[in-house]
Amino acid sequence: MKKFTITLALSIMAVLLITIPCNAKGKAKHVVLIGLDGWGAYSVPKADIPTIKQLMADGAYTLEKRSALPSSSAINWASMFMGAGPELHGYTQWGSKTPELPSRVLNQHGIFPTIFQLLRDAQPNAEIGCLYEWDGIKYLVDTLALSHYKQAPDYNKYPEALCTMAETYIKEKRPTLLAVCFDNPDHVGHQAGHDTSEYYAKLKELNAYVARIIQAVKDAGILKETIFIVTSDHGGIEKGHGGKTMNEMQTPFIISGKNVKTSGEFQESMMQYDVASTIAYIFGLEQPQVWIGRPMKQVFK
């Protein structure tokens, strides 16, 4: 009788281990993060962006993700990648290349912990990339943690260059994590203004690049194991940003793909630094104690 009881208990434990949901293995094998600098959430309902809106329909999204303050580029790209705000990572200005405040914690490369290094520590052989147009990105991503990083040539002369670089890299390397950071619509916002015909024309152009990147993932044979995130560092108002209006602070966060619910708009509060935490959750990574971001667990199956 005792032997039967022990056998039964072990069998029940085995079944529980198999059936209890666990994120140890992660939600997907690949993540492609597409960032559109200066993309304000206010623009989404009016924008002609069918591919991006299809990702919204197929997955989950919010139009109320808030930027860290000030609502400027370096501080918010840093927060997106570093899982914390400027009070902790120390990047406080539009063009910060090094922290103006001492970073609360430094990793082995002498920079505040990023999602790229977290993944590198967990998967030493992972292919991790970052492609970008704005030179300021390279100071915020911990390049020593990356397998590949490269700035695209001047988009005024070569508007499709970054997209083409992303397509080639995806097909050749099938990266575990790739960040593709476009410098528009921010540039148009500064020149012609936010919420202008020129701004919406640029969004339509960027939508085509998103479609091409998705197709490259499909061509690489990894679509079924990939999660796409499309988001922004900040929005804008008139010809600037950095202030405290909702048009400057509210940005879209769209997530779609492997193990993402088709649940549409979610109501939970989201901050810029929650992006890094959500990516960490996708890969089953334990985030550093210094991070304050929260993963958007509710969007996953």
Side-chain angles (χ1 to χ4, degrees):
M1 184 66 181
K2 184 177 180 182
K3 185 176 181 180
F4 172 77
T5 303
I6 293 172
T7 302
L8 180 61
L10 290 172
S11 299
I12 292 172
M13 288 175 64
V15 171
L16 288 173
L17 286 171
I18 293 171
T19 58
I20 291 176
C22 178
N23 192 46
K25 293 184 179 180
K27 296 295 185 181
K29 294 180 180 178
H30 307 272
V31 172
V32 177
L33 169 67
I34 302 171
L36 309 181
D37 198 309
W39 182 31
Y42 70 85
S43 68
V44 173
K46 296 181 283 185
D48 183 8
I49 47 174
T51 298
I52 293 173
K53 288 183 176 179
Q54 190 62 55
L55 290 174
M56 295 167 69
D58 293 340
Y61 70 92
T62 179
L63 299 182
E64 298 183 87
K65 174 171 68 74
R66 292 195 180 191
S67 70
L69 289 174
S71 53
S72 294
S73 295
I75 175 182
N76 276 286
W77 287 113
S79 298
M80 189 189 303
F81 300 142
M82 295 179 177
E87 302 88 351
L88 290 168
H89 61 58
Y91 297 82
T92 65
Q93 300 175 10
W94 164 80
S96 297
K97 296 181 179 180
T98 57
E100 289 78 29
L101 298 174
S103 297
R104 179 61 180 84
V105 171
L106 297 176
N107 69 9
Q108 60 267 51
H109 299 150
I111 191 173
F112 193 88
T114 68
I115 182 58
F116 305 105
Q117 185 59 50
L118 254 67
L119 180 58
R120 174 66 64 212
D121 290 341
Q123 300 184 32
N125 297 320
E127 182 68 32
I128 306 172
C130 182
L131 303 171
Y132 50 90
E133 290 174 328
W134 181 49
D135 181 68
I137 294 291
K138 70 182 179 185
Y139 302 102
L140 312 170
V141 294
D142 189 1
T143 55
L144 294 177
L146 300 175
S147 309
H148 177 69
Y149 66 95
K150 190 172 183 179
Q151 181 181 10
D154 183 2
Y155 53 76
N156 292 306
K157 297 179 180 178
Y158 310 99
E160 298 185 20
L162 180 60
C163 181
T164 302
M165 288 164 56
E167 290 173 304
T168 301
Y169 181 62
I170 289 167
K171 293 175 186 178
E172 291 182 354
K173 297 296 185 179
R174 300 171 53 171
T176 303
L177 173 60
L178 171 62
V180 186
C181 306
F182 290 90
D183 194 27
N184 274 300
D186 184 70
H187 185 72
V188 170
H190 283 297
Q191 290 200 332
H194 287 261
D195 204 18
T196 61
S197 59
E198 293 90 343
Y199 186 88
Y200 288 103
K202 181 57 69 173
L203 284 177
K204 184 176 181 179
E205 177 187 336
L206 290 164
N207 177 81
Y209 299 154
V210 172
R212 286 171 54 180
I213 290 171
I214 294 172
Q215 184 61 48
V217 170
K218 184 176 181 180
D219 293 343
I222 57 174
L223 182 66
K224 292 183 179 181
E225 292 294 337
T226 297
I227 287 176
F228 296 96
I229 294 173
V230 185
T231 191
S232 177
D233 55 341
H234 58 76
I237 188 168
E238 297 179 348
K239 291 186 178 181
H241 56 82
K244 293 178 283 188
T245 67
M246 288 296 96
N247 279 6
E248 294 166 279
M249 290 185 62
Q250 286 188 327
T251 58
F253 174 83
I254 301 162
I255 185 167
S256 183
K258 175 76 170 181
N259 278 322
V260 177
K261 295 177 183 177
T262 305
S263 54
E265 186 173 12
F266 60 86
Q267 301 304 316
E268 289 82 359
S269 172
M270 187 175 190
M271 286 292 297
Q272 191 68 271
Y273 35 75
D274 295 334
V275 176
S277 295
T278 301
I279 297 173
Y281 181 77
I282 291 170
F283 288 121
L285 309 176
E286 182 178 353
Q287 67 181 46
Q289 187 274 333
V290 73
W291 279 20
I292 60 173
R294 302 164 300 172
M296 297 292 105
K297 296 180 182 180
Q298 76 280 1
V299 306
F300 298 103
K301 297 175 183 177

